[in-house]
Amino acid sequence: MNGPGLQPPINAGPAWQYSFFNLSVPDLIVVGLMIVVFVLAIAIPFPGGDNDSTH
Amino acid sequence: MPDTMPSYVDSYVYLFGVLTLASFFWIIISGVILVIFGPDWWHVSAVGHFFNSTHFWSVQAFFFFMVLHLWAQFLMAAWRGGRHWTWIGGWMLFLLSILAGFTGYLSQNNFDAQWVGTQGKDAMNSVGVGGFFNLLNFGQMYGLHVFLLPMLILFLIGVHLFLVRKHGVVEPLPLDDGYDKENRRPTGSPVPEGESRP
Ligand code: HEM
């Protein structure tokens, strides 16, 4: 798209590309982290979770 | 309004909403400081850089936790039991937040902002809103970013939290253990005519 002399000032470096999807390495790291945090939030038991119970 | 918490909220997934809220709090605090001193300050002084960065990273945390919150609410179908306005309001918050992030990008007043503005204006023109929503108009973008959008988001958060308090936390989805107690057979197997128990 751009000639050798014309580069966008924003350059996020290498990116994963598929069809119209375009995710830079930082994007992929964030998505990966989100999945990890979500799984941990479900998997790790909540402290003091077994005392009360109104239900 | 319910004043006790059911035992099923003893899980970290229920913290994503309030983590989003905490991030929003820091966005507002750092944003107000940026507004008081302006771009000539946040681009050149060390303290300005600090608050600029605080604002930026609070936004990263805000979207990070908002998306995790959205996943959690989606996977537990939290719109059940008359909670549809909580869900729809959440979506409005999500879309408005994207607009706030976008106008914030344009408000940086640097080369990145100019690049985004000149690229984005063509997209706006192509859908016919460029005359009304002009990305190259710094005053318009800055005004939307520092006043109108935050106020709308603040209002919608208020409604969102009120609705959560009003309805109480949604019950977990029924456990599917492969056995349909109601009809006394494996779930999904056909129930012959007249044998169904309402
Ligand atoms: C500014 C962004 C948002 C803030 C500050 C926020 C805050 C909260 C808080 C504190 C709760 C209660 C605790 C919890 O379950 O986490 C909640 C519940 C809820 N949120 Fe959000 N939220 C936001 C965006 C969203 C989005 C994007 C969605 C989905 C499209 C959403 C859907 C819901 C639903 C359906 C509930 C009710 C859950 C229930 O009744 O158990 N929210 N929100």
Side-chain angles (χ1 to χ4, degrees):
Chain A
M1 282 247 294
N2 297 303
L6 183 65
Q7 287 296 321
I10 302 169
N11 190 345
W16 168 78
Q17 212 140 9
Y18 176 77
S19 172
F20 60 85
F21 295 104
N22 181 307
L23 291 179
S24 66
V25 173
D27 287 342
L28 290 171
I29 292 172
V30 172
V31 173
L33 245 168
M34 278 166 47
I35 294 170
V36 169
V37 171
F38 195 73
V39 169
L40 287 179
I42 293 171
I44 299 177
F46 196 74
D50 35 21
N51 37 30
D52 73 312
S53 242
T54 50
H55 218 68
Chain B
M1 286 193 186
D3 58 357
T4 50
M5 287 213 280
S7 57
Y8 53 75
V9 299
D10 284 338
S11 161
Y12 284 108
V13 276
Y14 291 96
L15 290 181
F16 290 136
V18 81
L19 285 168
T20 314
L21 190 65
S23 313
F24 184 72
F25 174 80
W26 288 112
I27 291 175
I28 296 295
I29 297 290
S30 55
V32 165
I33 293 168
L34 293 177
V35 154
I36 291 172
F37 296 102
D40 290 352
W41 172 75
W42 77 59
H43 280 313
V44 296
S45 87
V47 183
H49 280 152
F50 173 77
F51 281 103
N52 198 163
S53 301
T54 305
H55 195 64
F56 175 84
W57 286 107
S58 307
V59 173
Q60 306 304 307
F62 177 71
F63 276 99
F64 189 96
F65 292 126
M66 186 173 6
V67 171
L68 292 184
H69 178 59
L70 195 162
W71 288 355
Q73 303 312 328
F74 175 75
L75 291 175
M76 59 179 106
W79 50 80
R80 288 172 295 141
R83 292 173 180 81
H84 47 278
W85 283 113
T86 321
W87 172 254
I88 294 167
W91 268 103
M92 287 163 67
L93 278 166
F94 185 57
L95 297 177
L96 274 177
S97 301
I98 291 173
L99 204 61
F102 185 52
T103 52
Y105 211 164
L106 295 165
S107 297
Q108 285 181 109
N109 219 10
N110 60 10
F111 287 131
D112 274 11
Q114 286 183 16
W115 176 264
V116 173
T118 47
Q119 296 297 303
K121 77 176 185 347
D122 296 338
M124 296 303 141
N125 289 336
S126 73
V127 293
V129 300
F132 175 71
F133 183 64
N134 181 1
L135 305 193
L136 299 182
N137 183 343
F138 175 72
Q140 187 186 22
M141 294 306 115
Y142 192 63
L144 287 172
H145 183 72
V146 304
F147 183 72
L148 201 60
L149 293 171
M151 286 299 156
L152 282 174
I153 290 172
L154 205 62
F155 172 74
L156 284 176
I157 287 179
V159 174
H160 195 71
L161 296 186
F162 171 75
L163 287 174
V164 172
R165 285 294 285 118
K166 183 178 167 218
H167 291 289
V169 188
V170 72
E171 294 79 28
L173 288 161
L175 187 66
D176 182 2
D177 56 2
Y179 184 69
D180 180 354
K181 252 199 241 135
E182 188 105 345
N183 294 304
R184 290 186 292 176
R185 67 197 69 225
T187 34
S189 48
V191 184
E193 195 73 38
E195 235 192 80
S196 160
R197 311 152 138 254

